[in-house]
Amino acid sequence: MKKLKLIRHGESCHNRDGVIQGQIDSELTETGLSQAESLSQKISAGINIIYTSELQRAYKTAEVLGERCGAEVERREALNERHLGFLQGEDCSIWSDINIEDGWRPEGGETYAEHVERVFEVVEEIKSLENEKVALVAHSGTIYAILNEIVDDLEVWYQDIDNCSVTELVFDGESWEIAYFNQSLSEG
């Protein structure tokens, strides 16, 4: 059975400040760096490859984990957060004014389907790996895109994914199952 750890990046400056990020390259806060270090001490054993977004908040989290476990860190643009167009840089409170429907594309951004398509280029690559213990460090939107597409009857869609939390998936050769969701193993 293949195990895939989906890890959300540590707290970023925009997370702290309540700003919509999308593909804005917000760096980790001191808390975010502390979260990444704490998490790396708890889960680094057995991870031998880490895929990550190119955005700094995810890459830095992956880098801390990779240094701890000696794993190769592969940056992939396909794992970047969904491009949210005009919403990027706005206060998070604006979400309550947005009417999101199937196929919705924020002006200057991408649809959910476009985001899923590029993310799954990497998921399919991971599926084909032989006996690798894989971590994927990315963003809440990217993690939701993966979960929503591969897990039947997803019951976690409207729950928050915490910074530096871990969701583990198990692939039995035919389908994926959630072993655990949104486990906050870091401190800070």
Side-chain angles (χ1 to χ4, degrees):
M1 291 199 178
K2 182 181 305 300
K3 292 184 178 181
L4 171 60
K5 291 183 184 330
L6 303 175
I7 301 168
R8 184 176 180 207
H9 59 77
E11 181 191 67
S12 69
C13 295
H14 282 358
N15 289 144
R16 178 195 61 211
D17 298 339
V19 175
I20 296 171
Q21 295 176 101
Q23 292 189 4
I24 291 176
D25 211 3
S26 179
E27 295 195 11
L28 293 179
T29 62
E30 287 299 318
T31 297
L33 286 168
S34 176
Q35 290 169 331
E37 182 59 38
S38 178
L39 179 66
S40 75
Q41 293 172 19
K42 293 178 178 132
I43 70 161
S44 62
I47 294 173
N48 52 20
I49 189 165
I50 302 168
Y51 288 83
T52 186
S53 159
E54 290 186 331
L55 299 174
Q56 285 299 309
R57 58 194 185 268
Y59 176 67
K60 184 61 181 174
T61 303
E63 188 177 54
V64 169
L65 180 58
E67 287 172 6
R68 168 79 56 183
C69 63
E72 177 184 352
V73 176
E74 294 201 20
R75 292 174 90 167
R76 299 294 174 87
E77 183 179 6
L79 295 175
N80 288 357
E81 180 63 284
R82 180 176 173 187
H83 195 298
L84 294 171
F86 77 96
L87 293 171
Q88 295 181 164
E90 295 292 331
D91 189 274
C92 287
S93 65
I94 196 173
W95 279 118
S96 62
D97 298 330
I98 305 294
N99 182 17
I100 299 174
E101 300 174 2
D102 283 347
W104 177 72
R105 175 192 306 275
E107 186 178 324
E110 66 185 328
T111 66
Y112 171 77
E114 290 167 337
H115 183 212
V116 167
E117 183 178 342
R118 67 177 165 78
V119 167
F120 268 79
E121 293 171 12
V122 178
V123 172
E124 289 303 315
E125 181 180 336
I126 290 169
K127 232 166 74 171
S128 71
L129 296 174
E130 295 287 329
N131 299 320
E132 297 289 342
K133 296 193 175 49
V134 181
L136 186 153
V137 181
H139 314 275
S140 60
T142 301
I143 293 169
Y144 279 130
I146 293 168
L147 295 175
N148 194 47
E149 295 300 313
I150 65 175
V151 179
D152 291 334
D153 301 321
L154 185 65
E155 296 176 8
V156 298
W157 183 251
Y158 292 104
Q159 296 179 36
D160 288 336
I161 296 178
D162 298 325
N163 288 112
C164 244
S165 67
V166 182
T167 297
E168 184 171 272
L169 302 178
V170 178
F171 184 66
D172 65 8
E174 293 183 26
S175 64
W176 294 92
E177 296 288 330
I178 297 178
Y180 54 86
F181 173 74
N182 196 39
Q183 295 293 305
S184 293
L185 304 175
S186 67
E187 299 165 2

